[in-house]
Amino acid sequence: MPGLGASSLPGSNGDRPLCVATTGIVTDLVAQVAGGECRVHALMGPGVDPHLYRPSPGDVAHLSAAAVVFYNGLHLEGKMAQLLRRLGRHRPVVSLGEHLRRRCPERLIPVGEGEYDPHIWFDVELWSRTLPAVERALVKLIPEQAQALRRRASSTSRRLRQLDRWCREQLARIPPRGRVLVTAHDAFRYFGRAYGIQVVGIQGVSTESEAGIADINRLVRMIVGRRIKAIFVESSVPERHVHAILDGCRAAGHPVRLGGQLYSDALGPPGSGADTYEQMVRHNVRTIVQALS
Ligand SMILES: [Zn+2]
């Protein structure tokens, strides 16, 4: 598997064109198709939140030297919109989300007036549909390698479809009434829709207000009523909210535990077992199945 973010600085190694991608997830996809034909550089490392990411001067240097830029789009890289637009005047800048919006808008989840949930990689089959956009841009960049690029795009597509089937098989092992993902992320809507898991977000719940307490009580009743075994929270949820939920469930005679860590908008660090897209998906699915079965 091609390494991520391992490219040298712009300007060196000039024989192979430089592709720059935003998130680790986008970078992985581009690297699968590019093979060794391009240098593929990731702007965002493990654990970086793309919603809040602001490009560093080093990133701007890489972007300016890039022959082509790939990004997720649909406002995922919210703070980079202006820069990406400017870069697009001088080189191809490819939005994978925009590709889906043109090709299969019915598969996108609307979140407002003309806006869509950007977390498209959590439906593995949908993510595989972005491959033609990557393939087309790379073939244009190095037409002499068209055959090899097309071959790698189809084998990546095959692998992603296999991964999609594996997700379905694994998640089907969770008893139907337990197929509820209570999570702090707002990232799992595509995942839930693709694999038949109800997603309940606990972001924005506040114990400060009456409404917040009512929300937590409602959540506790739902967890207890459906005998849900685990919830998935991370550091972004204040500890007292997590404790309020755990205490509430225990008091109702249904102790619930914390599920393991899920990766959402960034890959894991090297050696985490989630440092490629495929590994990240497998890690999440295994963690969810283990906690909810
Ligand atoms: Zn996100």
Side-chain angles (χ1 to χ4, degrees):
M1 186 167 292
L4 300 185
S7 77
S8 42
L9 284 167
S12 63
N13 216 354
D15 49 333
R16 289 181 306 150
L18 174 66
C19 299
V20 174
T22 52
T23 67
I25 294 151
V26 173
T27 307
D28 190 353
L29 192 75
V30 173
Q32 297 293 327
V33 181
E37 320 290 352
C38 308
R39 290 174 290 148
V40 183
H41 176 80
L43 293 183
M44 301 176 200
V48 171
D49 182 346
H51 301 280
L52 303 176
Y53 187 78
R54 288 179 192 279
S56 69
D59 291 341
V60 176
H62 272 103
L63 287 164
S64 309
V68 50
V69 176
F70 294 92
Y71 70 112
N72 186 88
L74 305 177
H75 303 297
L76 180 77
E77 303 93 339
K79 312 275 184 213
M80 292 186 67
Q82 223 179 6
L83 177 61
L84 289 166
R85 232 187 343 266
R86 213 165 52 232
L87 285 162
R89 291 191 209 127
H90 306 290
R91 63 183 58 69
V93 173
V94 181
S95 162
L96 303 183
E98 188 53 32
H99 172 79
L100 295 181
R101 201 183 61 78
R102 281 196 304 267
R103 293 300 166 89
C104 47
E106 73 287 353
R107 295 284 303 272
L108 297 181
I109 297 176
V111 288
E113 192 65 39
E115 294 204 6
Y116 298 96
D117 184 332
H119 303 89
I120 46 181
W121 59 93
F122 274 120
D123 176 340
V124 178
E125 195 277 332
L126 181 62
W127 188 235
S128 78
R129 288 172 184 258
T130 65
L131 275 163
V134 177
E135 180 192 308
R136 192 170 53 237
L138 291 179
V139 166
K140 224 173 186 170
L141 183 65
I142 26 175
E144 63 279 14
Q145 296 295 340
Q147 227 180 0
L149 292 166
R150 290 202 179 104
R151 208 170 39 236
R152 276 195 296 270
S154 2
S155 71
T156 304
S157 172
R158 263 197 311 280
R159 264 208 319 284
L160 290 180
R161 278 155 208 265
Q162 264 166 22
L163 178 62
D164 183 65
R165 274 196 300 279
W166 179 85
C167 293
R168 239 166 259 289
E169 285 160 15
Q170 294 299 309
L171 292 160
R173 293 165 48 192
I174 304 170
R177 62 183 281 140
R179 289 181 198 157
V180 183
L181 188 63
V182 180
T183 169
H185 304 286
D186 63 348
F188 288 92
R189 277 182 285 218
Y190 286 98
F191 181 84
R193 190 187 61 180
Y195 305 111
I197 312 274
Q198 186 188 339
V199 178
V200 179
I202 52 176
Q203 223 157 26
V205 174
S206 160
T207 47
E208 246 96 84
S209 64
E210 293 289 321
I213 293 163
D215 280 346
I216 286 183
N217 290 341
R218 200 161 34 240
L219 195 57
V220 165
R221 274 200 303 278
M222 199 269 291
I223 293 168
V224 172
R226 292 183 61 163
R227 318 304 289 173
I228 293 163
K229 293 187 176 163
I231 59 173
F232 299 84
V233 290
E234 51 161 39
S235 47
S236 63
V237 173
E239 218 169 315
R240 64 183 189 285
H241 298 178
V242 176
H243 283 300
I245 296 165
L246 296 181
D247 290 348
C249 291
R250 201 176 305 118
H254 174 71
V256 68
R257 56 189 192 82
L258 296 179
Q261 190 194 356
L262 302 179
Y263 293 91
S264 59
D265 294 4
L267 299 178
S272 62
D275 55 350
T276 67
Y277 171 73
E278 182 167 343
Q279 283 182 12
M280 177 192 82
V281 170
R282 287 184 190 272
H283 167 94
N284 282 351
V285 168
R286 281 198 197 101
T287 304
I288 292 167
V289 170
Q290 210 165 44
L292 297 182
S293 300

